[in-house]
Amino acid sequence: RGLVGSEMCIRDRMYPDPGRIFLVDKNKGIFVETGNGAVIIKDLMKEGKKRMNVLEFLKGNRVVAGEYFGKK
């Protein structure tokens, strides 16, 4: 998965497992832990494909909380 558009959120909270998806919301985005808060992924682009928002991406791709963004 390629990260295209995101925003930082929840900066005042430490997460123990960077890269772990902890919330998937088709309207708000995919929430991913970082070492210093979290990011909300709003747009993605698969290699060789067009950019798409989270709602479009989730229609054809399964993403669940507990999975990891990128390789673990």
Side-chain angles (χ1 to χ4, degrees), residues 6-51:
S6 66
E7 70 180 49
M8 284 295 295
C9 70
I10 319 171
R11 289 187 184 97
D12 61 338
R13 183 171 173 192
M14 297 298 288
Y15 288 92
D17 209 1
R20 187 179 76 85
I21 297 166
F22 68 93
L23 177 65
V24 178
D25 183 302
K26 65 182 180 182
N27 297 309
K28 294 181 181 178
I30 299 169
F31 292 67
V32 181
E33 295 179 16
T34 71
N36 188 24
V39 293
I40 304 171
I41 300 171
K42 297 180 174 262
D43 299 288
L44 298 102
M45 187 168 69
K46 284 187 160 186
E47 189 173 338
K49 302 289 184 175
K50 69 177 182 118
R51 178 180 177 157

Side-chain angles (χ1 to χ4, degrees), residues 37-72:
V39 293
I40 304 171
I41 300 171
K42 297 180 174 262
D43 299 288
L44 298 102
M45 187 168 69
K46 284 187 160 186
E47 189 173 338
K49 302 289 184 175
K50 69 177 182 118
R51 178 180 177 157
M52 61 187 91
N53 64 36
V54 168
L55 180 59
E56 293 174 42
F57 184 81
L58 292 174
K59 286 179 182 177
N61 297 276
R62 186 171 180 261
V63 179
V64 296
E67 291 182 334
Y68 286 84
F69 185 79
K71 296 180 182 176
K72 174 80 175 165

